[in-house]
Amino acid sequence: MSPSPIRRPAPAFDVFNVYFERIYDPTMHIVFTFDGEIDVGIMKEATKRLIASDPYLRSRFAAVDGQPVWEEVPEEQWEGAFVLFPAGEVEILPPPPLDVRSGPQVRVNLCRRGEGDLLAVTCHHGFCDASGAMTLARDLFSVYRGIMEDPDFRPIRRDPYDRSTDRILALYSDEERQRALAEEAPFVDRWRFPVERTGRGTPRIVCRTLPPERLGLAKAFGKRHGATVNDVLIGAFFLAFAKIRGDPSDRGAPRSILTSADLRRKHPGLHAEGLPMNLSIAYEVTLSAGEGARLEDVIGQVAAITARRKAGSLGLAAILFYEEILAGGMPAVRTFFDDMIERYRTSGLKNPVFSNLGVFDPGNYLPVPGKDGTELGLLDVRYLPCACWPYGFLTIASTFRDRLTITTAYEEGPYSTAVVERFLEYVDGYLP
């Protein structure tokens, strides 16, 4: 009789990010472009040893006796965690989705190209957020380097770690928690991206990369208006969304977007271990703009909202909200998502989401030796977000070597590629 698998409780943030599969594909990818060839055998071994080192990475998500858990899977089920696309094969982006319920929680996709390798680190939002995915990529290259230097190298095996938000909750008194819940207004869906039809389609990625001088202009614009670059991006995203809709009812009316915040930045040092997990929350930004509005007409509204959020108990209400639902068991979680989907279906409305992932530091990943031992050049780092279908719509921004890239992932068919591309042109046009 085989022993029972090792199981550990899955916290609320993990559970909800798994079940957001009801409105988008929670698979995420970080794509690295090099100017030469990675050692395939060593990268495959690095993937295996990285998985072996983390008890959650080598697990699958499951519900056992009504309780959400991370359940370790045997090593023979790790097949597929490393995939090689030989030279000459069609390069496909985004890579295929990752199944959070089969494990392990990472897949490394290596695409061999004549001009240099492309490597995509794939994970699922149920396992970690964007910051966690970047941590995972950093750890992968660290293990790869270690094996290049010493074939017997193995990363330190992690003990089971706290994946919950308990340490954040512990910072607040009961009175502060109740006040945060009372002050948090529920999200109200007021508009949506133009769709061709509902249903599913073909995953697509569209991105737009701006030259370094544009980032400098955005910083200068923000400084003049008491705003951050993130505020500038939110304002441009909002105005582009109104323009792509072209709906007169939007003019001067309150319209909302969701944006994200990484609680690691709000509470530096609280999760200093740099572990791959979910510690990001969404909050609502509601603005109004008249016909012909420019960025300077809305930037003050954006800056005031984000500053107020950062100064307050950012994320506390979201944590308490998720914890309260999960306390009712998995039926309560499924009911929550059933109700959400029904609201979207009947209203046809779903506020868009914008997330700025910040600056990708090449020092987090380099050096990366090539197959002959010489150091490879890192030409680009790009993040491919979760692919949405109606009525969800998500755009992200990231910066690598002063080049700002705006990206959206969507399903063609329900969404028109031409319309999505025009939308990113509008975002570009509103930026300084």
Side-chain angles (χ1 to χ4, degrees):
M1 183 176 177
S2 59
S4 299
I6 299 173
R7 298 178 179 129
R8 300 177 180 92
F13 268 32
D14 290 357
V15 173
F16 278 80
N17 279 300
V18 168
Y19 275 83
F20 274 117
E21 66 193 2
R22 298 286 302 276
I23 55 176
Y24 57 70
D25 173 8
T27 304
M28 309 175 293
H29 318 269
I30 306 180
V31 182
F32 299 84
T33 303
F34 296 98
D35 64 358
E37 292 189 358
I38 287 172
D39 189 301
V40 174
I42 292 180
M43 183 56 75
K44 183 175 182 178
E45 184 63 24
T47 303
K48 179 180 177 180
R49 294 185 190 181
L50 177 65
I51 292 168
S53 72
D54 188 301
Y56 298 99
L57 201 54
R58 60 179 183 260
S59 296
R60 71 184 188 97
F61 178 84
V64 179
D65 297 328
Q67 297 300 314
V69 298
W70 289 108
E71 178 183 278
E72 290 197 29
V73 299
E75 186 174 340
E76 56 266 26
Q77 294 183 23
W78 299 359
E79 286 300 321
F82 178 85
V83 180
L84 174 66
F85 297 92
E89 288 196 6
V90 177
E91 179 185 318
I92 299 175
L93 290 178
L98 188 148
D99 183 2
V100 71
R101 292 176 175 81
S102 65
Q105 296 306 317
V106 66
R107 187 177 66 244
V108 177
N109 316 267
L110 180 59
C111 182
R112 186 124 283 178
R113 307 180 307 162
E115 64 270 34
D117 286 350
L118 184 151
L119 185 140
V121 178
T122 296
C123 55
H124 192 285
H125 210 326
F127 176 70
C128 65
D129 55 19
S131 180
M134 289 185 276
T135 294
L136 206 56
R138 180 203 66 193
D139 292 347
L140 174 69
F141 288 118
S142 176
V143 178
Y144 174 80
R145 279 193 303 274
I147 299 174
M148 290 285 278
E149 296 169 1
D150 175 7
D152 293 326
F153 172 84
R154 280 172 171 74
I156 297 173
R157 291 177 70 92
R158 289 175 178 148
D159 293 327
Y161 48 92
D162 180 12
R163 292 180 59 83
S164 74
T165 51
D166 289 349
R167 280 181 280 183
I168 296 175
L169 284 175
L171 299 174
Y172 300 94
S173 66
D174 287 342
E175 180 181 350
E176 289 171 322
R177 297 181 192 187
Q178 294 306 313
R179 184 165 61 248
L181 281 174
E183 293 174 351
E184 186 77 7
F187 294 164
V188 178
D189 291 297
R190 295 180 166 94
W191 55 351
R192 63 169 169 80
F193 195 85
V195 300
E196 301 291 307
R197 60 172 175 81
T198 56
R200 302 295 302 273
T202 303
R204 295 282 185 249
I205 298 287
V206 169
C207 65
R208 200 170 182 88
T209 298
L210 309 183
E213 57 267 24
R214 295 291 298 282
L215 182 61
L217 291 171
K219 289 178 179 178
F221 178 91
K223 187 175 182 179
R224 289 197 303 272
H225 293 273
T228 66
V229 170
N230 187 57
D231 296 334
V232 173
L233 290 166
I234 290 173
F237 175 79
F238 175 85
L239 292 172
F241 207 84
K243 186 172 182 177
I244 200 70
R245 283 168 53 80
D247 189 336
S249 69
D250 291 340
R251 297 170 189 161
R255 294 290 182 261
S256 303
I257 68 168
L258 294 179
T259 192
S260 66
D262 188 340
L263 296 180
R264 299 169 185 83
R265 298 179 183 176
K266 173 69 175 176
H267 306 286
L270 200 60
H271 289 272
E273 307 95 327
L275 299 170
M277 51 196 294
N278 280 302
L279 284 172
S280 294
I281 57 97
Y283 66 91
E284 198 168 64
V285 176
T286 301
L287 310 170
S288 60
E291 184 175 6
R294 302 168 302 167
L295 188 57
E296 43 264 71
D297 298 323
V298 299
I299 192 63
Q301 298 178 60
V302 178
I305 293 170
T306 58
R308 185 173 69 250
R309 285 288 193 164
K310 292 174 186 175
S313 55
L314 182 67
L316 178 57
I319 293 172
L320 294 170
F321 181 66
Y322 285 161
E323 294 284 356
E324 182 180 0
I325 295 174
L326 185 58
M330 295 307 292
V333 174
R334 287 189 285 269
T335 296
F336 169 79
F337 281 95
D338 287 343
D339 292 345
M340 176 190 292
I341 298 303
E342 182 61 19
R343 287 197 304 275
Y344 298 156
R345 188 188 67 81
T346 55
S347 71
L349 302 176
K350 172 69 178 75
N351 289 337
V353 181
F354 172 79
S355 180
N356 179 17
L357 305 186
V359 179
F360 294 161
D361 181 359
N364 288 335
Y365 315 106
L366 296 175
V368 176
K371 68 177 184 179
D372 58 357
T374 58
E375 186 175 329
L376 298 179
L378 181 57
L379 304 180
D380 191 32
V381 180
R382 190 159 300 183
Y383 192 91
L384 307 186
C386 304
C388 293
W389 51 84
Y391 293 106
F393 191 81
L394 165 67
T395 299
I396 66 165
S398 62
T399 301
F400 179 71
R401 291 178 174 153
D402 293 329
R403 299 194 305 271
L404 176 68
T405 297
I406 309 161
T407 307
T408 188
Y410 61 100
E411 295 207 345
E412 188 179 49
Y415 290 114
S416 161
T417 293
V419 174
V420 174
E421 290 176 338
R422 190 162 68 249
F423 170 74
L424 292 191
E425 289 178 9
Y426 291 163
V427 177
D428 183 350
Y430 280 112
L431 289 172

PDB file of all heavy atoms in Angstrom, residues 267-291:
ATOM      1  N   HIS A 267       4.882  46.425   2.686  1.00  0.00           N
ATOM      2  CA  HIS A 267       5.448  45.914   3.939  1.00  0.00           C
ATOM      3  C   HIS A 267       6.839  45.326   3.680  1.00  0.00           C
ATOM      4  O   HIS A 267       7.030  44.109   3.755  1.00  0.00           O
ATOM      5  CB  HIS A 267       4.532  44.855   4.545  1.00  0.00           C
ATOM      6  CG  HIS A 267       3.119  45.310   4.734  1.00  0.00           C
ATOM      7  ND1 HIS A 267       2.747  46.191   5.726  1.00  0.00           N
ATOM      8  CD2 HIS A 267       1.982  45.024   4.049  1.00  0.00           C
ATOM      9  CE1 HIS A 267       1.442  46.416   5.655  1.00  0.00           C
ATOM     10  NE2 HIS A 267       0.971  45.718   4.645  1.00  0.00           N
ATOM     11  N   PRO A 268       7.819  46.163   3.355  1.00  0.00           N
ATOM     12  CA  PRO A 268       9.160  45.635   3.045  1.00  0.00           C
ATOM     13  C   PRO A 268       9.748  44.910   4.252  1.00  0.00           C
ATOM     14  O   PRO A 268       9.634  45.347   5.391  1.00  0.00           O
ATOM     15  CB  PRO A 268       9.955  46.901   2.700  1.00  0.00           C
ATOM     16  CG  PRO A 268       9.203  48.028   3.332  1.00  0.00           C
ATOM     17  CD  PRO A 268       7.772  47.634   3.293  1.00  0.00           C
ATOM     18  N   GLY A 269      10.366  43.785   3.977  1.00  0.00           N
ATOM     19  CA  GLY A 269      10.981  43.003   5.034  1.00  0.00           C
ATOM     20  C   GLY A 269      10.083  41.952   5.633  1.00  0.00           C
ATOM     21  O   GLY A 269      10.557  41.008   6.270  1.00  0.00           O
ATOM     22  N   LEU A 270       8.771  42.086   5.402  1.00  0.00           N
ATOM     23  CA  LEU A 270       7.849  41.136   6.013  1.00  0.00           C
ATOM     24  C   LEU A 270       7.946  39.775   5.336  1.00  0.00           C
ATOM     25  O   LEU A 270       7.788  38.734   5.970  1.00  0.00           O
ATOM     26  CB  LEU A 270       6.416  41.669   5.914  1.00  0.00           C
ATOM     27  CG  LEU A 270       5.403  41.067   6.894  1.00  0.00           C
ATOM     28  CD1 LEU A 270       5.834  41.338   8.326  1.00  0.00           C
ATOM     29  CD2 LEU A 270       4.017  41.630   6.657  1.00  0.00           C
ATOM     30  N   HIS A 271       8.200  39.784   4.038  1.00  0.00           N
ATOM     31  CA  HIS A 271       8.400  38.547   3.288  1.00  0.00           C
ATOM     32  C   HIS A 271       9.745  38.650   2.564  1.00  0.00           C
ATOM     33  O   HIS A 271       9.839  38.493   1.361  1.00  0.00           O
ATOM     34  CB  HIS A 271       7.262  38.315   2.293  1.00  0.00           C
ATOM     35  CG  HIS A 271       5.967  37.944   2.955  1.00  0.00           C
ATOM     36  ND1 HIS A 271       5.629  36.653   3.253  1.00  0.00           N
ATOM     37  CD2 HIS A 271       4.945  38.710   3.389  1.00  0.00           C
ATOM     38  CE1 HIS A 271       4.437  36.629   3.838  1.00  0.00           C
ATOM     39  NE2 HIS A 271       4.008  37.863   3.926  1.00  0.00           N
ATOM     40  N   ALA A 272      10.787  38.906   3.349  1.00  0.00           N
ATOM     41  CA  ALA A 272      12.105  39.171   2.780  1.00  0.00           C
ATOM     42  C   ALA A 272      12.757  37.931   2.199  1.00  0.00           C
ATOM     43  O   ALA A 272      13.789  38.022   1.545  1.00  0.00           O
ATOM     44  CB  ALA A 272      13.006  39.782   3.852  1.00  0.00           C
ATOM     45  N   GLU A 273      12.180  36.766   2.432  1.00  0.00           N
ATOM     46  CA  GLU A 273      12.809  35.544   1.940  1.00  0.00           C
ATOM     47  C   GLU A 273      12.819  35.459   0.419  1.00  0.00           C
ATOM     48  O   GLU A 273      13.543  34.656  -0.154  1.00  0.00           O
ATOM     49  CB  GLU A 273      12.078  34.301   2.485  1.00  0.00           C
ATOM     50  CG  GLU A 273      11.921  34.292   3.986  1.00  0.00           C
ATOM     51  CD  GLU A 273      10.576  34.851   4.411  1.00  0.00           C
ATOM     52  OE1 GLU A 273      10.049  35.749   3.735  1.00  0.00           O
ATOM     53  OE2 GLU A 273      10.046  34.370   5.429  1.00  0.00           O
ATOM     54  N   GLY A 274      12.021  36.259  -0.251  1.00  0.00           N
ATOM     55  CA  GLY A 274      11.955  36.196  -1.704  1.00  0.00           C
ATOM     56  C   GLY A 274      11.372  34.887  -2.183  1.00  0.00           C
ATOM     57  O   GLY A 274      11.910  34.246  -3.087  1.00  0.00           O
ATOM     58  N   LEU A 275      10.255  34.492  -1.598  1.00  0.00           N
ATOM     59  CA  LEU A 275       9.632  33.218  -1.930  1.00  0.00           C
ATOM     60  C   LEU A 275       8.574  33.401  -3.008  1.00  0.00           C
ATOM     61  O   LEU A 275       7.893  34.436  -3.061  1.00  0.00           O
ATOM     62  CB  LEU A 275       9.001  32.604  -0.682  1.00  0.00           C
ATOM     63  CG  LEU A 275       9.971  32.300   0.462  1.00  0.00           C
ATOM     64  CD1 LEU A 275       9.213  31.934   1.729  1.00  0.00           C
ATOM     65  CD2 LEU A 275      10.918  31.178   0.067  1.00  0.00           C
ATOM     66  N   PRO A 276       8.397  32.397  -3.881  1.00  0.00           N
ATOM     67  CA  PRO A 276       7.351  32.495  -4.907  1.00  0.00           C
ATOM     68  C   PRO A 276       5.972  32.247  -4.302  1.00  0.00           C
ATOM     69  O   PRO A 276       5.626  31.123  -3.938  1.00  0.00           O
ATOM     70  CB  PRO A 276       7.735  31.396  -5.901  1.00  0.00           C
ATOM     71  CG  PRO A 276       8.476  30.387  -5.075  1.00  0.00           C
ATOM     72  CD  PRO A 276       9.184  31.154  -4.003  1.00  0.00           C
ATOM     73  N   MET A 277       5.166  33.299  -4.190  1.00  0.00           N
ATOM     74  CA  MET A 277       3.837  33.165  -3.597  1.00  0.00           C
ATOM     75  C   MET A 277       2.959  34.324  -4.053  1.00  0.00           C
ATOM     76  O   MET A 277       3.401  35.200  -4.802  1.00  0.00           O
ATOM     77  CB  MET A 277       3.929  33.109  -2.070  1.00  0.00           C
ATOM     78  CG  MET A 277       4.733  34.226  -1.447  1.00  0.00           C
ATOM     79  SD  MET A 277       5.211  33.913   0.277  1.00  0.00           S
ATOM     80  CE  MET A 277       3.626  33.901   1.086  1.00  0.00           C
ATOM     81  N   ASN A 278       1.706  34.329  -3.629  1.00  0.00           N
ATOM     82  CA  ASN A 278       0.746  35.366  -4.002  1.00  0.00           C
ATOM     83  C   ASN A 278       0.657  36.417  -2.897  1.00  0.00           C
ATOM     84  O   ASN A 278       0.181  36.133  -1.797  1.00  0.00           O
ATOM     85  CB  ASN A 278      -0.636  34.750  -4.230  1.00  0.00           C
ATOM     86  CG  ASN A 278      -0.772  34.110  -5.590  1.00  0.00           C
ATOM     87  OD1 ASN A 278      -0.597  34.772  -6.612  1.00  0.00           O
ATOM     88  ND2 ASN A 278      -1.071  32.814  -5.619  1.00  0.00           N
ATOM     89  N   LEU A 279       1.122  37.635  -3.220  1.00  0.00           N
ATOM     90  CA  LEU A 279       1.048  38.734  -2.258  1.00  0.00           C
ATOM     91  C   LEU A 279       0.636  40.036  -2.942  1.00  0.00           C
ATOM     92  O   LEU A 279       1.022  41.114  -2.512  1.00  0.00           O
ATOM     93  CB  LEU A 279       2.401  38.921  -1.557  1.00  0.00           C
ATOM     94  CG  LEU A 279       2.747  37.885  -0.479  1.00  0.00           C
ATOM     95  CD1 LEU A 279       4.175  38.060  -0.010  1.00  0.00           C
ATOM     96  CD2 LEU A 279       1.784  37.991   0.696  1.00  0.00           C
ATOM     97  N   SER A 280      -0.148  39.930  -4.017  1.00  0.00           N
ATOM     98  CA  SER A 280      -0.615  41.121  -4.728  1.00  0.00           C
ATOM     99  C   SER A 280      -2.133  41.234  -4.613  1.00  0.00           C
ATOM    100  O   SER A 280      -2.838  40.228  -4.582  1.00  0.00           O
ATOM    101  CB  SER A 280      -0.215  41.061  -6.201  1.00  0.00           C
ATOM    102  OG  SER A 280       1.187  41.123  -6.330  1.00  0.00           O
ATOM    103  N   ILE A 281      -2.601  42.473  -4.564  1.00  0.00           N
ATOM    104  CA  ILE A 281      -4.040  42.730  -4.460  1.00  0.00           C
ATOM    105  C   ILE A 281      -4.460  43.715  -5.547  1.00  0.00           C
ATOM    106  O   ILE A 281      -3.621  44.401  -6.148  1.00  0.00           O
ATOM    107  CB  ILE A 281      -4.431  43.273  -3.066  1.00  0.00           C
ATOM    108  CG1 ILE A 281      -3.636  44.566  -2.737  1.00  0.00           C
ATOM    109  CG2 ILE A 281      -4.176  42.229  -2.001  1.00  0.00           C
ATOM    110  CD1 ILE A 281      -4.350  45.829  -3.018  1.00  0.00           C
ATOM    111  N   ALA A 282      -5.749  43.783  -5.796  1.00  0.00           N
ATOM    112  CA  ALA A 282      -6.299  44.747  -6.753  1.00  0.00           C
ATOM    113  C   ALA A 282      -7.123  45.787  -6.006  1.00  0.00           C
ATOM    114  O   ALA A 282      -7.746  45.486  -4.982  1.00  0.00           O
ATOM    115  CB  ALA A 282      -7.174  44.033  -7.780  1.00  0.00           C
ATOM    116  N   TYR A 283      -7.082  47.018  -6.505  1.00  0.00           N
ATOM    117  CA  TYR A 283      -7.969  48.042  -5.956  1.00  0.00           C
ATOM    118  C   TYR A 283      -8.512  48.889  -7.099  1.00  0.00           C
ATOM    119  O   TYR A 283      -7.967  48.909  -8.206  1.00  0.00           O
ATOM    120  CB  TYR A 283      -7.275  48.892  -4.896  1.00  0.00           C
ATOM    121  CG  TYR A 283      -6.133  49.757  -5.370  1.00  0.00           C
ATOM    122  CD1 TYR A 283      -6.346  51.076  -5.789  1.00  0.00           C
ATOM    123  CD2 TYR A 283      -4.825  49.276  -5.368  1.00  0.00           C
ATOM    124  CE1 TYR A 283      -5.298  51.878  -6.202  1.00  0.00           C
ATOM    125  CE2 TYR A 283      -3.767  50.068  -5.778  1.00  0.00           C
ATOM    126  CZ  TYR A 283      -4.009  51.370  -6.195  1.00  0.00           C
ATOM    127  OH  TYR A 283      -2.962  52.155  -6.608  1.00  0.00           O
ATOM    128  N   GLU A 284      -9.600  49.573  -6.823  1.00  0.00           N
ATOM    129  CA  GLU A 284     -10.335  50.288  -7.856  1.00  0.00           C
ATOM    130  C   GLU A 284      -9.893  51.748  -7.928  1.00  0.00           C
ATOM    131  O   GLU A 284      -9.678  52.397  -6.903  1.00  0.00           O
ATOM    132  CB  GLU A 284     -11.834  50.214  -7.559  1.00  0.00           C
ATOM    133  CG  GLU A 284     -12.734  50.529  -8.736  1.00  0.00           C
ATOM    134  CD  GLU A 284     -14.174  50.145  -8.446  1.00  0.00           C
ATOM    135  OE1 GLU A 284     -14.781  50.739  -7.525  1.00  0.00           O
ATOM    136  OE2 GLU A 284     -14.712  49.255  -9.126  1.00  0.00           O
ATOM    137  N   VAL A 285      -9.768  52.251  -9.151  1.00  0.00           N
ATOM    138  CA  VAL A 285      -9.496  53.662  -9.410  1.00  0.00           C
ATOM    139  C   VAL A 285     -10.648  54.182 -10.262  1.00  0.00           C
ATOM    140  O   VAL A 285     -10.842  53.736 -11.397  1.00  0.00           O
ATOM    141  CB  VAL A 285      -8.157  53.853 -10.141  1.00  0.00           C
ATOM    142  CG1 VAL A 285      -7.941  55.321 -10.501  1.00  0.00           C
ATOM    143  CG2 VAL A 285      -6.997  53.336  -9.301  1.00  0.00           C
ATOM    144  N   THR A 286     -11.432  55.099  -9.728  1.00  0.00           N
ATOM    145  CA  THR A 286     -12.595  55.643 -10.439  1.00  0.00           C
ATOM    146  C   THR A 286     -12.314  57.091 -10.840  1.00  0.00           C
ATOM    147  O   THR A 286     -12.016  57.935  -9.985  1.00  0.00           O
ATOM    148  CB  THR A 286     -13.859  55.573  -9.564  1.00  0.00           C
ATOM    149  OG1 THR A 286     -14.109  54.210  -9.210  1.00  0.00           O
ATOM    150  CG2 THR A 286     -15.067  56.113 -10.321  1.00  0.00           C
ATOM    151  N   LEU A 287     -12.398  57.358 -12.139  1.00  0.00           N
ATOM    152  CA  LEU A 287     -12.087  58.664 -12.696  1.00  0.00           C
ATOM    153  C   LEU A 287     -13.236  59.146 -13.562  1.00  0.00           C
ATOM    154  O   LEU A 287     -14.125  58.370 -13.930  1.00  0.00           O
ATOM    155  CB  LEU A 287     -10.815  58.578 -13.556  1.00  0.00           C
ATOM    156  CG  LEU A 287      -9.578  57.900 -12.942  1.00  0.00           C
ATOM    157  CD1 LEU A 287      -8.523  57.692 -14.020  1.00  0.00           C
ATOM    158  CD2 LEU A 287      -9.043  58.726 -11.807  1.00  0.00           C
ATOM    159  N   SER A 288     -13.177  60.419 -13.922  1.00  0.00           N
ATOM    160  CA  SER A 288     -14.117  60.951 -14.914  1.00  0.00           C
ATOM    161  C   SER A 288     -13.356  61.899 -15.831  1.00  0.00           C
ATOM    162  O   SER A 288     -12.422  62.581 -15.400  1.00  0.00           O
ATOM    163  CB  SER A 288     -15.286  61.674 -14.238  1.00  0.00           C
ATOM    164  OG  SER A 288     -14.818  62.757 -13.454  1.00  0.00           O
ATOM    165  N   ALA A 289     -13.748  61.900 -17.100  1.00  0.00           N
ATOM    166  CA  ALA A 289     -13.066  62.741 -18.088  1.00  0.00           C
ATOM    167  C   ALA A 289     -14.068  63.158 -19.153  1.00  0.00           C
ATOM    168  O   ALA A 289     -14.891  62.350 -19.601  1.00  0.00           O
ATOM    169  CB  ALA A 289     -11.901  61.994 -18.727  1.00  0.00           C
ATOM    170  N   GLY A 290     -13.981  64.414 -19.563  1.00  0.00           N
ATOM    171  CA  GLY A 290     -14.865  64.913 -20.602  1.00  0.00           C
ATOM    172  C   GLY A 290     -14.340  64.594 -21.988  1.00  0.00           C
ATOM    173  O   GLY A 290     -13.264  64.001 -22.158  1.00  0.00           O
ATOM    174  N   GLU A 291     -15.094  65.012 -22.988  1.00  0.00           N
ATOM    175  CA  GLU A 291     -14.693  64.782 -24.373  1.00  0.00           C
ATOM    176  C   GLU A 291     -13.379  65.511 -24.663  1.00  0.00           C
ATOM    177  O   GLU A 291     -13.185  66.662 -24.261  1.00  0.00           O
ATOM    178  CB  GLU A 291     -15.787  65.276 -25.316  1.00  0.00           C
ATOM    179  CG  GLU A 291     -15.504  64.984 -26.780  1.00  0.00           C
ATOM    180  CD  GLU A 291     -16.671  65.375 -27.683  1.00  0.00           C
ATOM    181  OE1 GLU A 291     -17.640  65.971 -27.168  1.00  0.00           O
ATOM    182  OE2 GLU A 291     -16.599  65.087 -28.892  1.00  0.00           O
TER     183      GLU A 291
END
